[in-house]
C-alpha cells in the first residue's frame, strides 16, 4: 500500500515562510510526478505546484509564482514545497499527491483527478 506523509504545516504570520515535506513509502510504484494541492473552506481542491520525477519539469499556479518553490529528492521519494512571503489567502489544507505511470516528461498534469495517491493533508494557517 502506498503511503504519503506530509509534514511542515503550521501557523505562521503573513510574510513568513514554511517548508512542507512529503515522503512516499510502501509498495513500489512508478512515479511520473508529485505535486501539491490545497483546499480552503468553500473552495475546490486546486493545484499549487507539481514536478515531474524524471526530468524535473515544474509548474506553479499563478497565485504562488515567485513565492513558492517545489523540489524533489528522487532517492528519498520525497517532494518539498518551500513557501515564502506567505499571505492569509494561502491558508488551506495542503495535500501531497502522486501521479503514477509512464508519460512524456514534457507533459504537466494540474488537475486533482489526474493524480492517483494522496496524503492526509497538513494545515497551513497564515495570520495577518
Amino acid at each position: 500500500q502506498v503511503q504519503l506523509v506530509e509534514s511542515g504545516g503550521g501557523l505562521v504570520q503573513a510574510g513568513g515562510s514554511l517548508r512542507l515535506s512529503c515522503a512516499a513509502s510502501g509498495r513500489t510504484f512508478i512515479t511520473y510526478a508529485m505535486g501539491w494541492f490545497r483546499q480552503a473552506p468553500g473552495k475546490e481542491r486546486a493545484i499549487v505546484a507539481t514536478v515531474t520525477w524524471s526530468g524535473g519539469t515544474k509548474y506553479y499556479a499563478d497565485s504562488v509564482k515567485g513565492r513558492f518553490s517545489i523540489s524533489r529528492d528522487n532517492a528519498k521519494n520525497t517532494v518539498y514545497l518551500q513557501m515564502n512571503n506567505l499571505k492569509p489567502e494561502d491558508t488551506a489544507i495542503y495535500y501531497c499527491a502522486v501521479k503514477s505511470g509512464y508519460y512524456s516528461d514534457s507533459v504537466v498534469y494540474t488537475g486533482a483527478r489526474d493524480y492517483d495517491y494522496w496524503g492526509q493533508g497538513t494545515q497551513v494557517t497564515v495570520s495577518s
Side-chain angles (χ1 to χ4, degrees):
Q1 183 176 358
V2 175
Q3 295 178 330
L4 300 176
V5 180
E6 303 102 331
S7 63
L11 175 65
V12 65
Q13 292 184 336
S17 298
L18 286 173
R19 184 173 184 254
L20 305 183
S21 299
C22 174
S25 63
R27 72 169 179 87
T28 300
F29 62 93
I30 302 300
T31 301
Y32 172 72
M34 292 188 71
W36 291 95
F37 292 75
R38 66 186 182 186
Q39 187 166 24
K43 297 183 179 180
E44 296 182 348
R45 188 172 299 188
I47 187 72
V48 176
T50 188
V51 59
T52 63
W53 218 238
S54 180
T57 301
K58 298 176 180 179
Y59 170 88
Y60 297 95
D62 288 342
S63 59
V64 306
K65 286 181 179 177
R67 299 189 296 121
F68 291 9
S69 179
I70 191 169
S71 61
R72 77 214 197 280
D73 187 334
N74 296 46
K76 296 182 178 180
N77 295 319
T78 300
V79 66
Y80 307 92
L81 185 68
Q82 179 67 46
M83 304 185 293
N84 298 320
N85 191 25
L86 283 160
K87 303 176 180 180
E89 48 263 45
D90 295 318
T91 296
I93 300 175
Y94 283 69
Y95 297 91
C96 173
V98 170
K99 181 173 179 61
S100 181
Y102 293 97
Y103 302 92
S104 171
D105 190 68
S106 64
V107 178
V108 175
Y109 295 88
T110 61
R113 295 178 64 87
D114 293 322
Y115 289 76
D116 304 293
Y117 306 109
W118 293 85
Q120 292 289 94
T122 184
Q123 178 70 47
V124 172
T125 302
V126 184
S127 63
S128 60

